[in-house]
PDB file of all heavy atoms in Angstrom:
ATOM      1  N   GLU A  73       6.029   5.017 -20.505  1.00 95.00           N
ATOM      2  CA  GLU A  73       4.695   5.377 -21.020  1.00 95.00           C
ATOM      3  C   GLU A  73       4.703   5.592 -22.566  1.00 95.00           C
ATOM      4  O   GLU A  73       3.741   5.271 -23.211  1.00 95.00           O
ATOM      5  CB  GLU A  73       4.098   6.500 -20.330  1.00 95.00           C
ATOM      6  CG  GLU A  73       4.900   7.821 -20.360  1.00 95.00           C
ATOM      7  CD  GLU A  73       5.761   8.030 -19.075  1.00 95.00           C
ATOM      8  OE1 GLU A  73       6.337   6.984 -18.569  1.00 95.00           O
ATOM      9  OE2 GLU A  73       5.850   9.189 -18.626  1.00 95.00           O
ATOM     10  N   ARG A  77       2.801   3.769 -25.539  1.00 95.00           N
ATOM     11  CA  ARG A  77       2.047   4.610 -26.543  1.00 95.00           C
ATOM     12  C   ARG A  77       2.514   4.293 -27.974  1.00 95.00           C
ATOM     13  O   ARG A  77       1.716   4.429 -28.864  1.00 95.00           O
ATOM     14  CB  ARG A  77       2.238   6.044 -26.250  1.00 95.00           C
ATOM     15  CG  ARG A  77       1.542   6.497 -24.896  1.00 95.00           C
ATOM     16  CD  ARG A  77       2.118   7.762 -24.424  1.00 95.00           C
ATOM     17  NE  ARG A  77       1.443   8.256 -23.185  1.00 95.00           N
ATOM     18  CZ  ARG A  77       1.718   9.362 -22.566  1.00 95.00           C
ATOM     19  NH1 ARG A  77       2.674  10.164 -23.023  1.00 95.00           N
ATOM     20  NH2 ARG A  77       1.057   9.698 -21.502  1.00 95.00           N
ATOM     21  N   MET A  82       3.408  -5.044 -22.110  1.00 95.00           N
ATOM     22  CA  MET A  82       4.079  -6.115 -21.351  1.00 95.00           C
ATOM     23  C   MET A  82       3.058  -6.753 -20.396  1.00 95.00           C
ATOM     24  O   MET A  82       2.491  -6.054 -19.612  1.00 95.00           O
ATOM     25  CB  MET A  82       5.299  -5.571 -20.578  1.00 95.00           C
ATOM     26  CG  MET A  82       5.724  -6.484 -19.457  1.00 95.00           C
ATOM     27  SD  MET A  82       7.418  -6.921 -19.679  1.00 95.00           S
ATOM     28  CE  MET A  82       7.949  -6.903 -17.990  1.00 95.00           C
ATOM     29  N   GLN A 105      -5.042   8.186 -22.952  1.00 94.00           N
ATOM     30  CA  GLN A 105      -3.748   8.794 -23.002  1.00 94.00           C
ATOM     31  C   GLN A 105      -2.977   8.342 -24.203  1.00 94.00           C
ATOM     32  O   GLN A 105      -2.229   9.144 -24.873  1.00 94.00           O
ATOM     33  CB  GLN A 105      -2.900   8.542 -21.759  1.00 94.00           C
ATOM     34  CG  GLN A 105      -3.324   9.369 -20.541  1.00 94.00           C
ATOM     35  CD  GLN A 105      -2.301  10.082 -19.784  1.00 94.00           C
ATOM     36  OE1 GLN A 105      -1.173   9.529 -19.601  1.00 94.00           O
ATOM     37  NE2 GLN A 105      -2.613  11.183 -19.320  1.00 94.00           N
ATOM     38  N   GLU A 155      -4.241  -9.430 -17.324  1.00 94.00           N
ATOM     39  CA  GLU A 155      -3.200  -8.900 -18.090  1.00 94.00           C
ATOM     40  C   GLU A 155      -3.544  -9.040 -19.575  1.00 94.00           C
ATOM     41  O   GLU A 155      -3.392  -8.063 -20.387  1.00 94.00           O
ATOM     42  CB  GLU A 155      -1.837  -9.702 -17.845  1.00 94.00           C
ATOM     43  CG  GLU A 155      -1.268  -9.465 -16.470  1.00 94.00           C
ATOM     44  CD  GLU A 155      -0.762  -8.034 -16.284  1.00 94.00           C
ATOM     45  OE1 GLU A 155       0.289  -7.669 -16.861  1.00 94.00           O
ATOM     46  OE2 GLU A 155      -1.428  -7.294 -15.486  1.00 94.00           O
ATOM     47  N   GLN A 158      -6.159  -6.638 -20.647  1.00 95.00           N
ATOM     48  CA  GLN A 158      -5.607  -5.300 -20.842  1.00 95.00           C
ATOM     49  C   GLN A 158      -4.949  -5.262 -22.277  1.00 95.00           C
ATOM     50  O   GLN A 158      -4.984  -4.290 -22.987  1.00 95.00           O
ATOM     51  CB  GLN A 158      -4.643  -4.868 -19.788  1.00 95.00           C
ATOM     52  CG  GLN A 158      -5.253  -4.627 -18.445  1.00 95.00           C
ATOM     53  CD  GLN A 158      -4.233  -4.428 -17.373  1.00 95.00           C
ATOM     54  OE1 GLN A 158      -3.175  -3.819 -17.630  1.00 95.00           O
ATOM     55  NE2 GLN A 158      -4.522  -4.933 -16.139  1.00 95.00           N
TER      56      GLN A 158
ATOM     57  N   GLU B 386       6.499   0.208  -7.823  1.00 92.00           N
ATOM     58  CA  GLU B 386       5.985  -0.873  -8.678  1.00 92.00           C
ATOM     59  C   GLU B 386       4.636  -0.492  -9.283  1.00 92.00           C
ATOM     60  O   GLU B 386       4.407  -0.722 -10.474  1.00 92.00           O
ATOM     61  CB  GLU B 386       5.819  -2.130  -7.769  1.00 92.00           C
ATOM     62  CG  GLU B 386       5.733  -3.395  -8.463  1.00 92.00           C
ATOM     63  CD  GLU B 386       6.860  -3.703  -9.403  1.00 92.00           C
ATOM     64  OE1 GLU B 386       8.056  -3.392  -9.013  1.00 92.00           O
ATOM     65  OE2 GLU B 386       6.659  -4.255 -10.478  1.00 92.00           O
ATOM     66  N   TYR B 390       3.756   0.118 -13.300  1.00 96.00           N
ATOM     67  CA  TYR B 390       2.653  -0.634 -13.908  1.00 96.00           C
ATOM     68  C   TYR B 390       1.770   0.311 -14.735  1.00 96.00           C
ATOM     69  O   TYR B 390       1.378   0.060 -15.796  1.00 96.00           O
ATOM     70  CB  TYR B 390       1.855  -1.349 -12.800  1.00 96.00           C
ATOM     71  CG  TYR B 390       0.864  -2.380 -13.297  1.00 96.00           C
ATOM     72  CD1 TYR B 390       1.252  -3.616 -13.593  1.00 96.00           C
ATOM     73  CD2 TYR B 390      -0.448  -1.975 -13.534  1.00 96.00           C
ATOM     74  CE1 TYR B 390       0.325  -4.594 -13.993  1.00 96.00           C
ATOM     75  CE2 TYR B 390      -1.423  -2.960 -13.969  1.00 96.00           C
ATOM     76  CZ  TYR B 390      -1.038  -4.207 -14.228  1.00 96.00           C
ATOM     77  OH  TYR B 390      -1.882  -5.188 -14.642  1.00 96.00           O
ATOM     78  N   GLN B 392       2.514   3.307 -15.785  1.00 96.00           N
ATOM     79  CA  GLN B 392       3.297   3.842 -16.942  1.00 96.00           C
ATOM     80  C   GLN B 392       3.352   2.862 -18.062  1.00 96.00           C
ATOM     81  O   GLN B 392       3.274   3.171 -19.226  1.00 96.00           O
ATOM     82  CB  GLN B 392       4.747   4.173 -16.495  1.00 96.00           C
ATOM     83  CG  GLN B 392       4.849   5.434 -15.739  1.00 96.00           C
ATOM     84  CD  GLN B 392       6.276   5.710 -15.323  1.00 96.00           C
ATOM     85  OE1 GLN B 392       6.723   5.211 -14.333  1.00 96.00           O
ATOM     86  NE2 GLN B 392       6.946   6.524 -16.116  1.00 96.00           N
ATOM     87  N   ARG B 394       1.261   1.039 -19.221  1.00 96.00           N
ATOM     88  CA  ARG B 394       0.012   1.025 -19.951  1.00 96.00           C
ATOM     89  C   ARG B 394      -0.130   2.366 -20.653  1.00 96.00           C
ATOM     90  O   ARG B 394      -1.248   2.745 -21.158  1.00 96.00           O
ATOM     91  CB  ARG B 394      -1.141   0.732 -19.011  1.00 96.00           C
ATOM     92  CG  ARG B 394      -1.120  -0.591 -18.296  1.00 96.00           C
ATOM     93  CD  ARG B 394      -0.788  -1.712 -19.210  1.00 96.00           C
ATOM     94  NE  ARG B 394      -0.923  -2.974 -18.579  1.00 96.00           N
ATOM     95  CZ  ARG B 394       0.122  -3.895 -18.539  1.00 96.00           C
ATOM     96  NH1 ARG B 394       1.272  -3.627 -18.991  1.00 96.00           N
ATOM     97  NH2 ARG B 394      -0.135  -5.033 -17.889  1.00 96.00           N
ATOM     98  N   GLY B 395       0.890   3.222 -20.667  1.00 95.00           N
ATOM     99  CA  GLY B 395       0.825   4.450 -21.449  1.00 95.00           C
ATOM    100  C   GLY B 395       0.411   5.641 -20.591  1.00 95.00           C
ATOM    101  O   GLY B 395       0.227   6.745 -21.134  1.00 95.00           O
ATOM    102  N   SER B 397       1.135   8.709 -18.288  1.00 94.00           N
ATOM    103  CA  SER B 397       2.326   9.514 -17.979  1.00 94.00           C
ATOM    104  C   SER B 397       2.665   9.401 -16.505  1.00 94.00           C
ATOM    105  O   SER B 397       1.733   9.126 -15.667  1.00 94.00           O
ATOM    106  CB  SER B 397       2.077  10.961 -18.314  1.00 94.00           C
ATOM    107  OG  SER B 397       1.136  11.540 -17.411  1.00 94.00           O
ATOM    108  N   LYS B 398       3.947   9.567 -16.161  1.00 93.00           N
ATOM    109  CA  LYS B 398       4.371   9.417 -14.746  1.00 93.00           C
ATOM    110  C   LYS B 398       3.515  10.461 -13.903  1.00 93.00           C
ATOM    111  O   LYS B 398       3.127  10.081 -12.774  1.00 93.00           O
ATOM    112  CB  LYS B 398       5.824   9.773 -14.638  1.00 93.00           C
ATOM    113  CG  LYS B 398       6.462   9.382 -13.347  1.00 93.00           C
ATOM    114  CD  LYS B 398       7.894   9.299 -13.373  1.00 93.00           C
ATOM    115  CE  LYS B 398       8.478   8.442 -12.200  1.00 93.00           C
ATOM    116  NZ  LYS B 398       9.936   8.461 -12.196  1.00 93.00           N
TER     117      LYS B 398
END
Side-chain angles (χ1 to χ4, degrees):
Chain A
E73 58 263 42
R77 293 161 176 180
M82 165 120 141
Q105 287 231 320
E155 291 294 287
Q158 289 173 38
Chain B
E386 198 56 40
Y390 191 87
Q392 282 179 278
R394 301 311 188 237
S397 69
K398 194 166 198 179

